[in-house]
Amino acid sequence: MGDIILKLQNLEAGYIIKQGDIKAVDNVNFELKRGEFLGIAGESGCGKSTLAYTIMGLLEDNGRIFNGEILYQDKDLTSMTENELKAIRWQNISMVFQSAMNALNPVMKIGNQLIDTILSHKKDFTKRDAINKSKEMLKLVDITEDRMNAFPHQLSGGMKQRVMIAMAMILEPDIIIMDEPTTALDVVVQRTIIDKISDLRKQFNFSVIFITHDLSLLVEISDKLIIMYSGQIIESGLANKVYNNPLHPYTKGLMNSFPSLTGKLQDFGGIPGKPPNFLKLPGGCRFHTRCPMKQDICSKVAPPLQQINNDHTARCHFVKKGN
Amino acid sequence: MKYVLRKFFWFFFALYIAVTINFILPRLMPGDPASVLVNKLQGVEEGSMEAIRAAFGIDTDKSILAQYGDYLINILKGDLGISISNYPYKVWDVLSKALPWTIGLMGIATLFSFIIGTFIGIVVAWKRKTKVANSVLGIFLFIRSFPYFWLGLILVYFFAFKKPLFPLGGAYSIGVFRGDGLPFIKSVIYHGILPGLTIAISSMGYWMLTIRNNMINVLAEDYIIVARAKGLPLTQIMNKYAARNAILPSVSGFAMALGFIIGGSLLTEMVFSYPGIGFMLYQAVQQQDYPLIQAIFLFIAIAVMTANFLSDIVIMLLDPRVRDGGKK
Amino acid sequence: MIKDMLKLFFINKKAFAGLIILSLFILMALFAPMIAPYGPKQNENDGEKFPLMASPSSEHILGTTNAGYDLYSQLIYGSRVTLFVGILTGLITTFISLSVGLFSGYLRGTVDDVISFVNNVFLVIPSLPLVIVIASYIPMRGVLPIILVLALTGWAWGSRVVRAQVLTIGEREFIKVAEVMGEKTVIIVFREILPNIISLVMAIFFTSTIAAIIGEATLEFIGLGNISTVTWGTMLFWAQNNAALLLDAWWWFLPPGLFIGILGTSFALMNFAIDEISNPKIRKR
């Protein structure tokens, strides 16, 4: 692992809507090293996608960065102009989007969609160079070069997603953000895609921020894990530590193994209830409305993100006692 | 190829249905159109009655199926009977004089309106947050709510009557003839401007709104976000990614829209006394010239269905998914 | 769901504007005898004949026709039949579109195939010419044939949209659950599916009402309506047939068309608002 390449400091971002401001990313801090694989997990609506779009500088018109910094190689992305951002986006930080099905323009050959990416950034490339580069990238994700002329609908879901990975890698960025890249795919294809990402990362030494609602995907492949709930980081640490010793009740819930309070063994099908509405956040700990270990203090005092040991933090009143 | 065949088959089938409706309608109607025809046809030469007999079932002992058979054969032969209001001319002769005017006027006006309306719609969707875009949208919504013929009346009133910039009606000046060459063409263009404008202005709103809504839907698609993230130039995103996809529903809706536009254009011709099939339909309705009404309806149906077929073909060329039969 | 829709509808500026305009027209129609200075076919007052073809004056705000009728009064009374025909036709068309679309989309199979086929045929047959053909065969000239003809030729577009929507909704979980629980088809269609397409139904109603208003005016303008009733369409018919334009009688043909357009705009505004509310892609951005 190398130097720190991306650092988020007190990042607060979200959307301004009629009913008020939504802070979908609330005071998020983390560091990403070169070549590191960071997994971010949480239910839909926990702000993880907003986090990805914020880092990319792709928030919608009503999106705002309220506070904080995004430092890419010590340069703050939040204070950059759109043109400065354009130079970094995709060139240095690229992204694989949630739904492979819709991420490719249906009326354009995939080759052309790879080529236009290169040509809009590399001014010294000829069309010929761009074609060769595109073929080379496709080969890396196990797609034969004759598929350059295929239209997106002629490819399977897994192939489309591999094309998207090739597209994200084509400018050889330092960081690739992957927002639920495997959600729409079946389990076997998921596996091959994740293995592919893992291989390529070792080969090219880029960093990955992998966002998913499915914690089990992250466990083997991640170096570090972050669990988000309602816009906040509620647990983070080295992947094996978080996995082997989850501290926050929510993390345990995500792993489908809530400890029973009454002592009887019983399975929880995930976590009952829904994540809170950002416009009506509960007081105290944001998770207390759904927490099986809820005490009086939980609805009154918001717990801070506490350092439990070197590589492990959690946001819960009871982690010390429980640990 | 299968796709083309299927569309081709559908084209003929729809046509057949239209022809059959034409046959059934006068028989279903309460007023007994046949007896009206009989009255009007008194003294008409026996020989020219054949086609009308079959089409309307006037004093004939033949069974309805036999009438239907005769009717279909007559249609295939192009024999649509005689026009009552233009006796002794055949319906087809009357119709073929009017056709070029309508096709020319409406074709050009529709083409302009499609291109300009689509272009405006794309820009309005792209700049949907601006005041200008919103007011353009509002103006079109407003214009679209008026009947074509009234817009025509207004144009005539202000630009032909109050300020005689253009002629009040007709297709060319009296005293100018087809053989005159350039002066004739000039006169035709001069006479075509106001009615053409009426059709173009009133149908433009449709194209503009359709493409605008499509654009807004397309702009929310992931591939647009990807294109933006990739750092493509804005014009490239707008043309190759957004507009290229947004135009597909416009093209496939072309035939349906054409039905409306033809309807509107018929009325426009009536206002301008333009010698196309719309004005002819107007006269035919006034004089209860059923064979002519029937033929005009049939012709319009053929035109719309042909347009439908053509737009299916264009969609096939534009959308690779359709080409592979993956999407309807 | 429906409540939320309506709430959003009423706070939407465009919908509100449309609603205000429509209410004004409805009030005008309801209280026509009170608002209009004269009857629609009154050509004298206290034994004194009205002037013929008079331009607007203080006695006749919008002048008179060549028969001496007061045009301002005609315009106000004309709103009655125009609105009645427009809205009733809109309702009938929506009802047909909805029933055909709902059952075709929900039942699928052969029923759907047959209905879709008929539907597609109706879609490609140009409706206005068909309406003119049918109307010209009917000897009876009046409001009822116009309503029937317009409704019977105008439902195809709506039912296709409804069908497409129902097909998507039918795939959703809560419908599957209702099916497994053994609910009757009719109950599923009306209780589970209908509330989910309520915005679509409103959109179809608004669109078909605009089409009906313009269609009615068109038929009457070419003389296929009952020319002795007073509507905005027949006013235009008489104006055209008496060469109002060439006599510079703008007060005769300008106001009725303007009112048709404004009425149409009010429905268009509400339709637009529905689109804004129900299409999250438009709302979000």
Side-chain angles (χ1 to χ4, degrees), chain B residues 91-104 269 274-281 292 296 299:
Chain B
V91 166
W92 178 244
D93 296 333
V94 180
L95 200 58
S96 58
K97 277 206 197 85
L99 275 183
W101 293 111
T102 299
I103 293 173
E269 286 184 3
Y274 201 82
I277 57 172
F279 188 50
M280 182 177 286
L281 179 62
L292 189 54
I296 291 175
F299 172 75

Side-chain angles (χ1 to χ4, degrees), chain C residues 203-266:
Chain C
I204 291 174
F205 170 66
F206 294 143
T207 317
S208 34
T209 307
I210 301 176
I213 291 168
I214 294 186
E216 179 202 0
T218 305
L219 284 180
E220 288 170 345
F221 177 70
I222 55 178
L224 290 173
N226 182 351
I227 48 177
S228 61
T229 40
V230 175
T231 72
W232 295 339
T234 53
M235 285 172 78
L236 288 169
F237 169 82
W238 287 114
Q240 175 76 355
N241 278 274
N242 290 296
L245 200 140
L246 298 177
L247 297 168
D248 203 3
W250 57 265
W251 54 87
W252 199 348
F253 61 85
L254 213 74
L258 205 59
F259 271 36
I260 293 173
I262 296 174
L263 179 61
T265 308
S266 79

Side-chain angles (χ1 to χ4, degrees), chain B residues 231-252:
Chain B
L232 298 184
L234 277 186
T235 46
Q236 201 172 339
I237 300 178
M238 178 153 151
N239 297 330
K240 286 196 176 168
Y241 282 73
R244 184 70 172 67
N245 280 290
I247 203 150
L248 298 176
S250 274
V251 175
S252 61

Side-chain angles (χ1 to χ4, degrees), chain A residues 53 56-59 61 86 89-90 97-99 102-108 112-114 116-117 120-121 151 153-154 164 167 171, chain B residues 128-129 221-234 236 240-242 244-245 248 318-326:
Chain A
Y53 281 83
M56 290 295 287
L58 283 176
L59 284 176
D61 294 346
K86 229 175 172 174
R89 199 189 290 148
W90 220 262
F97 288 84
Q98 193 156 14
S99 46
N102 303 323
L104 288 162
N105 183 351
V107 295
M108 230 169 128
N112 290 338
Q113 300 191 49
L114 292 166
D116 68 8
T117 317
S120 61
H121 285 274
F151 286 100
H153 72 276
Q154 294 164 330
M164 289 314 293
M167 195 181 284
L171 301 174
Chain B
R128 63 190 168 285
K129 286 269 156 109
E221 291 282 350
D222 284 351
Y223 51 80
I224 302 294
I225 302 170
V226 174
R228 263 173 64 207
K230 290 199 300 190
L232 298 184
L234 277 186
Q236 201 172 339
K240 286 196 176 168
Y241 282 73
R244 184 70 172 67
N245 280 290
L248 298 176
L318 287 180
D319 191 338
R321 288 164 293 185
V322 172
R323 219 176 302 154
D324 291 352

Side-chain angles (χ1 to χ4, degrees), chain A residues 4-209:
Chain A
I4 290 169
I5 191 165
L6 184 78
K7 190 171 177 183
L8 264 56
Q9 279 181 331
N10 307 325
L11 187 66
E12 292 180 358
Y15 308 93
I16 295 176
I17 61 171
K18 260 188 201 151
Q19 296 93 319
D21 293 0
I22 283 180
K23 225 185 255 179
V25 173
D26 195 349
N27 198 11
V28 166
N29 292 279
F30 68 75
E31 286 172 357
L32 180 72
K33 291 182 187 139
R34 185 178 295 281
E36 193 171 40
F37 194 113
L38 170 68
I40 299 181
E43 289 165 296
S44 52
C46 73
K48 55 196 194 315
S49 283
T50 305
L51 180 62
Y53 281 83
T54 309
I55 298 172
M56 290 295 287
L58 283 176
L59 284 176
E60 287 173 25
D61 294 346
N62 63 347
R64 290 285 182 287
I65 296 173
F66 300 117
N67 196 11
E69 289 176 335
I70 303 169
L71 296 168
Y72 167 73
Q73 298 196 322
D74 298 327
K75 285 169 291 187
D76 183 11
L77 300 184
T78 62
S79 59
M80 282 189 182
T81 63
E82 179 61 25
N83 274 337
E84 290 170 317
L85 219 53
K86 229 175 172 174
I88 289 183
R89 199 189 290 148
W90 220 262
Q91 179 86 266
N92 302 97
I93 308 176
S94 69
M95 184 161 171
V96 176
F97 288 84
Q98 193 156 14
S99 46
M101 309 304 151
N102 303 323
L104 288 162
N105 183 351
V107 295
M108 230 169 128
K109 291 175 179 170
I110 60 162
N112 290 338
Q113 300 191 49
L114 292 166
I115 292 165
D116 68 8
T117 317
I118 302 174
L119 292 181
S120 61
H121 285 274
K122 307 261 189 208
K123 298 300 167 208
D124 52 329
F125 267 54
T126 62
K127 183 114 194 248
R128 191 75 260 149
D129 297 338
I131 293 173
N132 289 334
K133 178 81 184 169
S134 303
K135 286 180 179 168
E136 192 186 308
M137 294 315 292
L138 283 183
K139 210 178 288 167
L140 276 177
V141 293
D142 304 323
I143 292 175
T144 50
E145 48 178 69
D146 57 302
R147 291 295 186 155
M148 289 281 282
N149 287 320
F151 286 100
H153 72 276
Q154 294 164 330
L155 306 180
S156 69
M159 278 169 102
K160 273 187 236 176
Q161 199 52 288
R162 278 182 280 147
V163 171
M164 289 314 293
I165 291 169
M167 195 181 284
M169 288 175 54
I170 206 160
L171 301 174
E172 295 167 10
D174 301 316
I175 304 168
I176 300 180
I177 300 173
M178 304 200 172
D179 184 11
E180 304 258 9
T182 58
T183 305
L185 306 173
D186 68 60
V187 187
V188 180
V189 180
Q190 267 186 8
R191 192 75 245 164
T192 56
I193 296 261
I194 287 178
D195 290 346
K196 193 79 225 171
I197 294 169
S198 185
D199 287 353
L200 290 169
R201 179 175 68 104
K202 279 175 197 134
Q203 203 177 335
F204 292 92
N205 200 35
F206 52 80
S207 314
V208 174
I209 300 177

Side-chain angles (χ1 to χ4, degrees), chain A residues 236-238 241-242 245 247 306-314 319-320 323:
Chain A
S236 71
L238 289 179
K241 288 206 176 173
V242 175
N245 184 22
L247 298 174
Q306 308 174 62
Q307 192 85 28
I308 307 305
N309 54 45
N310 275 348
D311 301 300
H312 206 162
T313 59
V319 282
K320 286 233 169 86
N323 217 24

